[in-house]
Amino acid sequence: MTATAEKPARRNPFPTNWRSRLLWGLVLAYVVYALSLIDISAQRVFDGLGHGANMLGRMVPPNFSRWSLLLEGLVESLEIAILASSIGILLSLPIGFLAARNMMPPWVTWPARALIALCRSFHPVIVAILFVKAVGFGALAGILALIVASIGFIAKLFAEAIEEISLKQVEAVRATGAPFGNVIIFSVVPQVLSRFIGFSTYQVDSNLRNSTMVGIVGAGGIGGTLFSAFQRFDYDFVAAILISLIAIIMVGEYLSGWVKEVFK
């Protein structure tokens, strides 16, 4: 070996990733292109801040004088949310189980998963518009729309929870000669019950908010009253409605935590 032996080439610990740079460049170019097509300017943003400040100023103090109208809308929103959540969660149980690939053959899981994807494809407001056209204005359209939304969310998460269970417990119960129903009750349900309760409480909370939105398109609830108040520039009454909704969501948050503690 000689002193002039060549040293091995030093490897760059941070090699240049040209593909990622190209991808970021394309994304940046598209953002600039999209901004050039949309009418966005600093003047519009500045004017919007002024209008927003004016609207917030007119919200103070909140006007609770029409409390009977407010209470009527809130009660109907609560009824929509509770009924839709209850029915949607009950329907999600068998659909989610049928969609679990570790428990059912492919010819069963694919149709179930297609149904779940279909329920999740559209925003509840769009589904509410369809049901308003089908069954007319009122709470029934809102309930049906939120049932669809509940199935799309709960059934998907429920199927994924079942797919993550340990099959050893399932095989142990099967080895006792237990019928299919008992296998589900004593091996699957205990492993997913706590997660299912968490999904369900979150869906109730979500439906409380969505019951307001579906009301904007005539599907019942406080949303219609809120939209009318906005149209009349009745911002102090809008503030009263928003404060009431925040209070309901806070109470729902407390109740969901309490339900989880009960079933822990």
Side-chain angles (χ1 to χ4, degrees):
M1 179 179 296
T2 63
T4 59
E6 294 183 359
K7 296 182 179 179
R10 188 175 179 181
R11 184 177 179 184
N12 184 2
F14 304 103
T16 303
N17 189 339
W18 290 106
R19 288 190 299 178
S20 68
R21 292 190 177 187
L22 176 62
L23 181 60
W24 279 113
L26 290 174
V27 171
L28 180 61
Y30 182 76
V31 169
V32 173
Y33 170 73
L35 287 174
S36 67
L37 296 180
I38 301 174
D39 185 19
I40 297 178
S41 64
Q43 184 61 41
R44 282 194 65 190
V45 174
F46 182 76
D47 293 341
L49 291 175
H51 297 323
N54 180 42
M55 184 184 73
L56 290 176
R58 293 175 61 180
M59 283 185 171
V60 180
N63 181 7
F64 288 93
S65 61
R66 283 168 282 177
W67 61 270
S68 60
L69 179 62
L70 177 61
L71 183 62
E72 182 183 351
L74 289 175
V75 169
E76 189 172 58
S77 289
L78 277 174
E79 292 170 348
I80 292 172
I82 298 300
L83 287 173
S85 301
S86 303
I87 299 172
I89 290 169
L90 287 176
L91 293 176
S92 298
L93 283 171
I95 296 173
F97 183 78
L98 293 175
R101 285 172 288 209
N102 60 339
M103 301 298 295
M104 289 292 168
W107 62 270
V108 175
T109 59
W110 278 109
R113 286 185 168 270
L115 175 62
I116 294 171
L118 180 65
C119 293
R120 208 175 57 253
S121 298
F122 302 103
H123 193 275
V125 173
I126 297 175
V127 182
I129 293 173
L130 298 177
F131 280 117
V132 166
K133 294 293 183 183
V135 301
F137 292 102
L140 178 59
I143 292 171
L144 294 175
L146 296 186
I147 287 174
V148 172
S150 299
I151 292 174
F153 180 77
I154 294 292
K156 175 181 170 57
L157 295 181
F158 189 47
E160 292 179 352
I162 293 175
E163 290 177 350
E164 295 173 0
I165 65 172
S166 170
L167 292 179
K168 293 181 179 178
Q169 190 170 337
V170 177
E171 294 169 359
V173 177
R174 279 177 177 166
T176 64
F180 183 74
N182 287 345
V183 172
I184 301 302
I185 294 172
F186 295 108
S187 63
V188 177
V189 173
Q191 297 188 66
V192 299
L193 181 61
S194 60
R195 296 181 66 183
F196 182 70
I197 291 171
F199 299 151
S200 301
T201 54
Y202 177 78
Q203 186 60 36
V204 173
D205 182 74
S206 178
N207 281 344
L208 280 173
R209 294 190 297 271
N210 289 334
S211 63
T212 304
M213 290 191 298
V214 298
I216 294 175
V217 295
I222 192 68
T225 306
L226 178 64
F227 187 61
S228 299
F230 265 117
Q231 285 186 314
R232 298 192 306 268
F233 305 102
D234 201 358
Y235 294 129
D236 53 353
F237 188 46
V238 168
I241 295 173
L242 295 180
I243 291 172
S244 303
L245 289 174
I246 292 171
I248 289 177
I249 296 299
M250 295 297 289
V251 172
E253 183 71 19
Y254 170 77
L255 290 177
S256 66
W258 178 75
V259 170
K260 289 179 183 177
E261 288 294 325
V262 170
F263 287 97
K264 184 180 290 185

